[in-house]
Amino acid sequence: MNKLIQTAAVAAAALLPLAAAAQEMDWKSVTRYDKAQAKKQLTERFTKYVTFDTQSNDQTDKVPSTPGQTKLAKALAKELKKNGAKNVKVDKFGIVTGEIPSNMPTQAPVVAFLAHMDTALEASGKEVVPQVHKNYQGGNIVINVERNLILSPANAPQLARARGHDIVTASGGTLLGADDKTGVAIIMTLVQYLNDHPEMQHGTVKVAFTPDEEIGTGVEKFDVASFGADYAYTLDGGDLGELTNETFNAKAFTAVFEGMRAVHPGEAMNSAFSDNLLMASDFHTLLPRHRRPETTADRRGFILVDSIVTEGDRSEVKGIIRAFSDEEMQDLVNEVNRAFNTVKGMNYKGKNFALTIKDEYKNMKAALPEQVVSLAQLAMKNEDVTPVLTAARGGTDGSSLSFMGLPTPDLFAGQYNIHSEYEYADVDVMEASLRTALRLVSLWAVQQTQPSAAE
């Protein structure tokens, strides 16, 4: 998942009616929850999953984009069945789905948990060798001496809050895959817990593992209607208590400039010569530097050119626009149009100028009902976790799913320094995420289902 910004610690609203709140059982005491056992299961699962090479590939149109994702999908489906999940399927896109049927006499909303199987492109995901650093007591963690890869409070400031925790790193030369195999491990451990503890009452719980989140193509293939959940949570976040309920609005643009460069440069004056390469360069230069990614932070959006490709007399510029609000997005779109029209006006000999701007995803906040966020806050608070509403300076599968009809904020999953060789997972934060998810299952079990329009 992309880098997050923390906005504020939020006091959870007491959403449940008093009668319903009184009915919610203390799932930990009913099931005699064992934290040490949960950590052991999480560690074993996570260190197994990261050995699957599931790095996605942005140079293909296939979904899943790499065969390793299909291999992991089949292994996860087998494990779901082993732990009592029903209706387990792996579809042609490598999407794994399953459900834990309700064990209650009354009806409750169907809640789902999702995580993605693929890993990022910035570092190798092949032959990952995980290292478990138990009971971290401060200072540096050596990932690899030869490569001088060392985790320290300087490059991993969250370690200052991790004394006594179990930390997992890779061994050098690869990323770890915490993004998002921490989420996969948490969800699978939740499935096992519900299977092992039938005394814990719950409504129908759905789970899904998706491919190609890192390149933004997997969730497009997700069939929300047949999945059949009312609300969902992705487990693809970072630090303890992070609850992502907001993302960028995202657009992509393509600007095309055609010229005439097939003229001897010594004879260019007073000829048909026009330089499409210069047009593309001017367009890039005219985009405001104070609205580039490296000059913006927090809630301020940006414009970024991703590529400039020239083939003969044609140059194509591709880029992205990101903003949290519709107003700021329109301002940035206007900047792109202004730069394009300026270049067009300066080059009357050019031809076939074209600028296209298309939507990629939207800020999920507009599509999230209050209840799906408030219950997550309440679940954290009941597990002694301080909820921190977080805005993602990027997108999540949840932002796409929310506008596809499945409201899906994102929960913390204990992944840090993602997309790099310095990536690590905090097993104790993963365990807190597991407890939060189980508490959410318990809280949703006492919510009333909304009547349909036909009733």
Side-chain angles (χ1 to χ4, degrees):
M1 176 167 181
N2 293 298
K3 187 178 180 182
L4 302 176
I5 55 169
Q6 294 183 345
T7 55
V10 181
L15 179 69
L16 292 173
L18 290 179
Q23 295 171 15
E24 192 229 338
M25 60 181 170
D26 183 352
W27 70 271
K28 284 186 292 187
S29 62
V30 168
T31 61
R32 298 184 180 180
Y33 179 75
D34 185 336
K35 179 177 178 179
Q37 178 66 13
K39 285 182 59 178
K40 181 175 183 291
Q41 292 174 350
L42 288 166
T43 303
E44 289 176 351
R45 283 197 167 94
F46 175 66
T47 54
K48 178 177 69 174
Y49 299 155
V50 298
T51 63
F52 287 78
D53 180 6
T54 59
Q55 188 173 46
S56 49
N57 177 10
D58 61 358
Q59 299 303 308
T60 178
D61 294 330
K62 294 180 180 179
V63 178
S65 63
T66 50
Q69 295 183 71
T70 301
K71 185 177 178 181
L72 178 57
K74 292 178 179 179
L76 293 174
K78 184 177 180 180
E79 190 174 356
L80 283 173
K81 292 176 182 177
K82 177 183 175 181
N83 286 289
K86 307 300 182 183
N87 298 322
V88 177
K89 300 175 184 176
V90 181
D91 71 9
K92 64 181 180 180
F93 302 112
I95 298 171
V96 185
T97 55
E99 70 176 60
I100 301 93
S102 172
N103 61 5
M104 302 192 309
T106 57
Q107 192 173 11
V110 177
V111 63
F113 298 93
L114 301 92
H116 66 88
M117 299 176 290
D118 64 314
T119 58
L121 284 66
E122 285 84 349
S124 173
K126 187 177 182 180
E127 297 179 354
V128 174
V129 179
Q131 302 181 95
V132 181
H133 310 268
K134 286 186 172 292
N135 193 23
Y136 170 69
Q137 290 300 306
N140 295 342
I141 296 176
V142 177
I143 298 175
N144 187 292
V145 174
E146 293 179 356
R147 298 175 67 89
N148 195 30
L149 291 174
I150 300 173
L151 278 183
S152 70
N155 60 28
Q158 298 92 344
L159 287 176
R161 302 188 295 276
R163 284 183 178 272
H165 293 194
D166 293 345
I167 305 298
V168 185
T169 69
S171 299
T174 70
L175 45 68
L176 174 62
D179 178 14
D180 180 29
K181 289 171 183 173
T182 58
V184 176
I186 292 164
I187 292 170
M188 192 65 78
T189 305
L190 178 145
V191 171
Q192 180 182 349
Y193 199 89
L194 295 179
N195 185 57
D196 290 347
H197 297 278
E199 67 273 20
M200 178 177 170
Q201 289 192 344
H202 59 81
T204 299
V205 177
K206 303 268 188 171
V207 298
F209 304 113
T210 59
D212 292 327
E213 187 267 358
E214 298 293 352
I215 57 176
T217 57
V219 73
E220 295 175 355
K221 308 299 184 181
F222 196 87
D223 189 340
V224 168
S226 66
F227 187 52
D230 297 308
Y231 307 97
Y233 301 89
T234 50
L235 280 84
D236 191 18
D239 206 10
L240 183 70
E242 284 184 355
L243 170 57
T244 301
N245 71 326
E246 194 168 359
T247 59
F248 271 143
N249 293 297
K251 292 181 184 290
F253 64 85
T254 301
V256 176
F257 305 94
E258 290 191 11
M260 175 65 173
R261 302 187 89 241
V263 175
H264 191 287
E267 306 295 330
M269 180 176 279
N270 299 320
S271 74
F273 179 82
S274 58
D275 193 343
N276 47 285
L277 184 60
L278 179 61
M279 298 177 208
S281 177
D282 283 346
F283 172 70
H284 189 195
T285 301
L286 286 168
L287 295 173
R289 288 180 177 268
H290 68 285
R291 304 312 304 271
R292 287 182 54 82
E294 69 269 29
T295 64
T296 61
D298 300 325
R299 300 188 64 80
R300 191 167 172 80
F302 60 81
I303 304 169
L304 175 66
V305 168
D306 284 327
S307 65
I308 301 177
V309 176
T310 294
E311 294 183 2
D313 292 337
R314 186 179 189 274
S315 294
E316 182 179 88
V317 184
K318 289 183 176 291
I320 60 174
I321 312 171
R322 300 291 187 263
F324 283 106
S325 70
D326 292 339
E327 293 77 12
E328 184 185 29
M329 175 57 76
Q330 188 58 55
D331 288 343
L332 295 178
V333 167
N334 291 343
E335 292 284 3
V336 173
N337 275 296
R338 187 177 299 113
F340 176 80
N341 288 327
T342 299
V343 172
K344 184 177 178 181
M346 291 167 57
N347 294 274
Y348 65 93
K349 293 181 182 179
K351 56 185 179 180
N352 296 329
F353 294 95
L355 174 65
T356 57
I357 300 175
K358 65 177 184 178
D359 290 329
E360 290 189 311
Y361 57 84
K362 295 182 180 180
N363 189 337
M364 68 161 68
K365 188 173 184 179
L368 294 180
E370 179 187 1
Q371 187 180 29
V372 72
V373 176
S374 296
L375 278 185
Q377 292 174 282
L378 184 58
M380 290 185 197
K381 189 174 181 181
N382 287 351
E383 294 303 321
D384 298 319
V385 174
T386 300
V388 181
L389 282 185
T390 306
R393 285 182 62 82
T396 68
D397 272 354
S399 53
S400 297
L401 290 168
S402 295
F403 284 95
M404 292 164 67
L406 180 58
T408 311
D410 183 60
L411 300 177
F412 68 95
Q415 51 188 248
Y416 302 89
N417 288 357
I418 59 175
H419 296 204
S420 78
E421 292 183 58
Y422 292 91
E423 185 179 27
Y424 71 94
D426 186 322
V427 178
D428 288 73
V429 177
M430 292 171 64
E431 185 275 330
S433 178
L434 172 64
R435 281 188 285 110
T436 298
L438 285 165
R439 176 69 69 174
L440 267 170
V441 169
S442 182
L443 288 169
W444 278 110
V446 295
Q447 302 299 305
Q448 294 183 349
T449 55
Q450 297 297 317
S452 66
E455 292 178 333

